[in-house]
Amino acid sequence: MSAHGTLVAFFIPGNLDNPLNGTHGHWSTPARRRKAWRENTKAAYLASPRMATAPWTPKRVTLVANVWNRMDSDGLQAACKSVRDGLVDCGLIDDDGPDSGHVFLYEQRVARAQRGVTVSVETL
């Protein structure tokens, strides 16, 4: 593995929703959806082959969303927030804030047959 090698890559199946477009209904529906994305992120990470690394080591995290229709950039980041939080939950990164040293990149593609998020994590 090179100095800038991939530590882990995995896929989390599911439908992403843009929470900025508003929801109609009870507050528990989006809360349940966010919790499921966090738990599914942790499960996918733990089931994947990976290289050991300290959570505070700076990383480049690329999130590629397979979506039904393209989202605008702020909606894409908002839709992927629970995935980022799941990466903290599983201990891959220590924090997802701006001072953490981690870099987050977002991409999307229309892939209606296999919706979800591919996470790739590399050392910086």
Side-chain angles (χ1 to χ4, degrees):
M1 184 177 93
S2 70
H4 297 286
T6 300
L7 299 171
V8 65
F10 56 93
F11 181 75
I12 311 150
N15 298 331
L16 282 177
D17 293 319
N18 180 351
L20 301 179
N21 285 345
T23 58
H24 302 285
H26 197 264
W27 63 266
S28 64
T29 302
R32 206 172 19 256
R33 193 172 304 130
R34 287 189 304 270
K35 181 179 179 184
W37 271 103
R38 288 176 80 146
E39 290 173 350
N40 292 341
T41 299
K42 184 176 181 177
Y45 169 70
L46 294 175
S48 64
R50 58 195 178 275
M51 305 285 295
T53 182
W56 55 85
T57 302
K59 298 170 185 71
R60 178 181 302 114
V61 179
T62 304
L63 304 171
V64 181
N66 291 354
V67 296
W68 186 267
N69 291 318
R70 292 183 62 80
M71 298 180 198
D72 54 13
S73 61
D74 60 340
L76 178 61
Q77 287 190 22
C80 291
K81 180 172 180 357
S82 296
V83 174
R84 279 178 65 158
D85 293 342
L87 297 175
V88 175
D89 293 345
C90 69
L92 180 58
I93 58 176
D94 61 332
D95 187 20
D96 65 346
D99 295 333
S100 67
H102 307 300
V103 175
F104 296 91
L105 305 173
Y106 298 87
E107 301 173 17
Q108 61 182 316
R109 61 178 169 234
V110 174
R112 295 176 176 164
Q114 188 178 22
R115 288 183 282 171
V117 179
T118 300
V119 179
S120 299
V121 181
E122 305 169 285
T123 57
L124 285 177

